[in-house]
Amino acid sequence: MRRRGQDFRRPVRRRISHVVWWTLCGIAVLLFIVILSKESQIESRPTFPKRYDRRDRIMEGLNITDEMLSANSVTRQLTDQISLAKAFVVIAKESNNLQFAWELSAQIRNSQVLLSNAATRRTPLTTRETETAIRDMALLLYQAQQFHYDSATMIMRLKAKIQGLEEQMGSVNEKSSKYGQIAAEEVPKSLYCLGVRLTTEWFGNQNLQRKLKERKQMEKLTDNNLYHFCVFSDNILATSVVVNSTASNSKNPDMIVFHLVTDEINYAAMKAWFAINSFRGVTVEVQKFEDFKWLNASYVPVLKQLQDSETQSYYFSGNSDGGRTPIKFRNPKYLSMLNHLRFYIPEVFPALKKVVFLDDDVVVQKDLSALFSINLNGNVNGAVETCMETFHRYHKYLNYSHPLIREHFDPDACGWAFGMNIFDLVEWRKRNVTGIYHYWQEKNVDRTLWKLGTLPPGLLTFYGLTEPLNPAWHVLGLGYTNVDPQLIEKGAVLHYNGNSKPWLKIGMEKYKPLWEKYVDYNHPQLQQCNFH
């Protein structure tokens, strides 16, 4: 056979010796052992708890919102079951199934305990711990459906229940309003006692009559350089607080003249009280409106209305419309001349040029002399506006469906308050304001323009004739609502308008001290009538 040439021979492979192989394997084994030993060292090291700050701990706690939004939330399932079960409890009780209602209530409590525990420990509920509660509640809800407590029945019954509760609430509110109105209108026994004792004292003690004549300085009653105030009231104690608080806070009480007008019944008692007591030198005049010769039915529309049988039936019997009109619209005080004399101040005090009118349910806590120097800019009435809210605008007091009202008055005009008013009697007479009042009273003989009180006719009478005063002069609401303490502190005159008068048991307790500080409960007459 012919051999290949040497250049074309395949190179011979060299075998790796056994020594090299064993060396490489040994190195690999050593590396493996080293790696294992390092891992074991790492695992054998002590573990230290991770430090969390307060925010991290809160973030790890139970987030109720996230939990309820979860698709697998057992918390939401429990909550839904509880809501449905509560509705079924009501229906079960109405159906007289008391045993079933008790079982539902017990299961509701169990589910609520689970929810409470989860909230306390700040970890979500698990399916395992709620499985029994959810199953037991589901069985009860299924049983409720077997009792025909289905959704439609439940909705109908709940609607009927709601309607019944609303009717009960309406009845309770109506009774509450009626009883509150009656309580506000009633004369407390102590006030009645005071009137009787003072009347007896006046007619049995000639010294009192002489003392009142000596104290009264006739020239002061018509001196327009003094500060004249008027109050029309049959409440002796309330009037006394008005006079006492005004005098106590006045810088010059000797320049104050109070003109008090009451009725025949309280005339002697009112005179006796102001003869017995002195108020820092304040001059007090007491009159009764029955002595005013000009006050007759031919001149005063209210007196004419009082003589109308239909009006008397409306206000005093309340049977003319089947009781549809709320009791507050039927209060006979709205036909009282003491309530309407504010529209006849120039006739009552013909010699005066300017006077401050005060209601008997106010208390004065600042000096009021600055009122008499306020420029009314040709207006007749100075009053504090009350239109910070829509409720106190004209459209809330007047009937704007009537063409007379709609044509003459802006519905969004700002209302104002009676109770502390400065009246320019010169302008009043010049503009015949009392005649304007008569016009609107005649137009409202059928009560279609307004229904309630003296404020609506006042808004009509003094429309365009009222100068707004600083709100601090007159703070309202102490007889029916909560008032900002800062307003009370800054207020010159605080008005207890509303039914909760401070001399009544239904008065608002937190505002009574502001009024009672001007009542001397140690006075013998008040002691004898159990005032406290």
Side-chain angles (χ1 to χ4, degrees), residues 444-487:
N444 194 47
V445 66
D446 55 357
R447 298 175 298 279
T448 56
L449 304 186
W450 73 86
K451 290 184 179 295
L452 177 64
T454 53
L455 182 55
L459 295 176
L460 300 182
T461 301
F462 295 99
Y463 184 72
L465 300 174
T466 299
E467 180 71 16
L469 302 180
N470 188 312
W473 280 114
H474 188 189
V475 177
L476 297 105
L478 279 76
Y480 73 94
T481 188
N482 292 315
V483 183
D484 186 344
Q486 292 184 350
L487 293 179

Side-chain angles (χ1 to χ4, degrees), residues 34-47:
V34 170
I35 293 171
L36 287 178
S37 65
K38 287 185 177 181
E39 289 180 354
S40 65
Q41 288 176 3
I42 293 172
E43 291 178 354
S44 64
R45 289 177 184 172
T47 57

Side-chain angles (χ1 to χ4, degrees), residues 200-354:
T200 304
E201 183 76 14
W202 176 259
F203 288 110
N205 189 344
Q206 296 296 325
N207 292 330
L208 281 183
Q209 300 181 24
R210 185 168 57 253
K211 186 186 295 185
L212 187 63
K213 290 179 181 178
E214 291 174 354
R215 185 180 299 171
K216 186 190 302 181
Q217 301 178 33
M218 298 302 296
E219 65 276 7
K220 279 191 171 185
L221 300 181
T222 57
D223 186 349
N224 283 292
N225 293 316
L226 303 179
Y227 306 133
H228 294 270
F229 297 84
C230 65
V231 181
F232 308 136
S233 174
D234 57 2
N235 188 321
I236 299 166
L237 190 62
T239 305
S240 175
V241 168
V242 176
V243 176
N244 190 24
S245 62
T246 304
S248 299
N249 293 286
S250 174
K251 297 175 181 177
N252 299 292
D254 58 318
M255 293 187 64
I256 291 178
V257 180
F258 261 96
H259 304 269
L260 310 181
V261 181
T262 187
D263 54 19
E264 182 76 43
I265 297 174
N266 296 281
Y267 180 54
M270 192 80 76
K271 288 193 297 183
W273 179 259
F274 287 97
I276 293 171
N277 301 284
S278 177
F279 300 92
R280 297 186 64 203
V282 168
T283 301
V284 179
E285 176 194 29
V286 181
Q287 302 180 79
K288 63 178 186 289
F289 71 80
E290 286 86 352
D291 288 340
F292 300 150
K293 301 302 182 183
W294 51 266
L295 197 59
N296 52 67
S298 62
Y299 178 63
V300 179
V302 170
L303 288 177
K304 189 186 304 181
Q305 292 170 14
L306 266 176
Q307 298 173 359
D308 180 68
S309 60
E310 182 182 347
T311 301
Q312 292 177 359
S313 175
Y314 178 84
Y315 280 99
F316 294 101
S317 71
N319 297 323
S320 60
D321 65 348
R324 292 190 302 272
T325 304
I327 187 173
K328 68 178 181 178
F329 293 126
R330 299 181 174 278
N331 194 335
K333 77 173 185 178
Y334 298 130
L335 291 180
S336 167
M337 276 316 305
L338 289 176
N339 202 39
H340 284 267
L341 274 181
R342 65 193 67 192
F343 296 104
Y344 299 94
I345 292 177
E347 285 89 343
V348 178
F349 312 113
L352 298 184
K353 295 181 179 179
K354 188 171 286 189

Side-chain angles (χ1 to χ4, degrees), residues 30-101:
L30 288 173
L31 288 172
F32 182 73
I33 292 172
V34 170
I35 293 171
L36 287 178
S37 65
K38 287 185 177 181
E39 289 180 354
S40 65
Q41 288 176 3
I42 293 172
E43 291 178 354
S44 64
R45 289 177 184 172
T47 57
F48 296 96
K50 185 180 179 180
R51 293 184 179 179
Y52 296 99
D53 58 16
R54 186 168 178 265
R55 181 176 180 274
D56 292 333
R57 288 198 301 272
I58 294 174
M59 293 300 293
E60 283 190 351
L62 174 62
N63 188 318
I64 296 298
T65 303
D66 292 343
E67 168 65 12
M68 295 290 284
L69 293 176
S70 172
N72 301 318
S73 172
V74 291
T75 300
R76 186 178 68 248
Q77 189 173 352
L78 266 182
T79 305
D80 291 344
Q81 283 187 332
I82 290 172
S83 300
L84 188 58
K86 285 181 177 179
F88 282 137
V89 166
V90 175
I91 297 176
K93 287 181 178 179
E94 287 186 350
S95 302
N96 206 28
N97 194 346
L98 302 182
Q99 177 62 30
F100 183 63

